[in-house]
Amino acid sequence: MTAPLHPVRTLDARYYTDPEIFRIEQNGLMVRTWQFAGHVSQLLKPGDYFTFDVAGQSLFCIRDKEGEIRAFHNVCQHRAHELVKGEGHTGLIVCPYHAWTYELTGKLRSGPNIGSVPGFDRGEICLTSVKVEEFCGFVFVNLDPDARPMDEWFPGARDELAAFVPHFAELKPVDWVEIPENCNWKVSVENYSECYHCRINHPTFANGVVKPETYDIQPQGYCLRHTTECQNLDRMTYPVDLDANEHAGEYSSWFLWPMFSFQVYPGNILNTYHWRAIGADHVVVWRGWYTIGGTESDIIKNLAAQDRETTVEEDIQLVESVQRGLKSRGFRPGPLVLDPACGVNSEHSVQVLQQWMREAVDG
Ligand code: FES
Ligand SMILES: [Fe+2]
């Protein structure tokens, strides 16, 4: 006898509303996955550094004298003072509290009067390092010392992205758009990861950029890869040089589980999403835009503004409504629309995401 088929249901509301689940994610998922730190253009010279937060932990990246990028917890190994703030340049890392001084490799170099302490072994003291990788000009860290490399998490993504953005080494951030959303980070990520809602909610995107009937999202390891054909490129709001390279006329996106996405618009225009989970029902999404050398560009400025006013604004309304709905006593998790043929009107990518979300919380 064959078992009756039951539709797969969306996650229970508590995954998006319960502060205890958010705490479990912060202490588990977020410290075991590759998280965005910054851009290599912030670390051009040895001694350049910038600070950032992951899962409530203060960290910093610095380029050492050999040119290697390193990442450390931003905490002194004496009595726990913070070491550096914001971003800048330094030849040595000097703690502001009692002036213990570290090499850019993290090794303790000196400290006032430490030589008077019998048995004090300078060689034993080092800043706590964190795994760090550069990925097409972007810097990611993983707080898990045993983390597998990004190429194993996201197979093929690095080479594909480099083919879509051949000039990535020359890019610099030119515009950051900060988007606070009153919803759980997973509501926002799920919304980003399906286009079942695009046709009725994103007329500019669906009619001006992509061809929805060709849209699909498929997993590639822990990457969700969005592909689509574009509308007639004559209807684009900016000129596209189709001869620039083989991907100049394409749109594509690589979502790197759990909180970052690279997106490439026709014309090889790179832009990024970075979700920063603030609490169970609050997330801030950073949209990054880049140009060669960071030069101002009216095309990018207009594109960023158009995106903010249309797709982003439309999505804010959707995700905040969903978050309110998840708190409703009247909500029962509904079936996902899983079309065996996949495509734009299927939520197979949400099923994959929710599987990862469940594993992160329930093991
Ligand atoms: S806490 Fe850093 S030198 Fe004392
Ligand atoms: Fe959307």
Side-chain angles (χ1 to χ4, degrees), residues 76-81 83 95-100 102:
C76 181
Q77 301 299 299
H78 176 220
R79 280 172 46 214
H81 198 279
L83 291 167
C95 177
Y97 200 179
H98 314 95
W100 279 28
Y102 300 84

Side-chain angles (χ1 to χ4, degrees), residues 191-192 194 197-198 201-202 311 314-315 318:
N191 176 68
Y192 176 79
E194 52 94 348
H197 72 278
C198 290
N201 288 286
H202 299 312
T311 314
E314 290 147 8
D315 278 329
L318 300 173

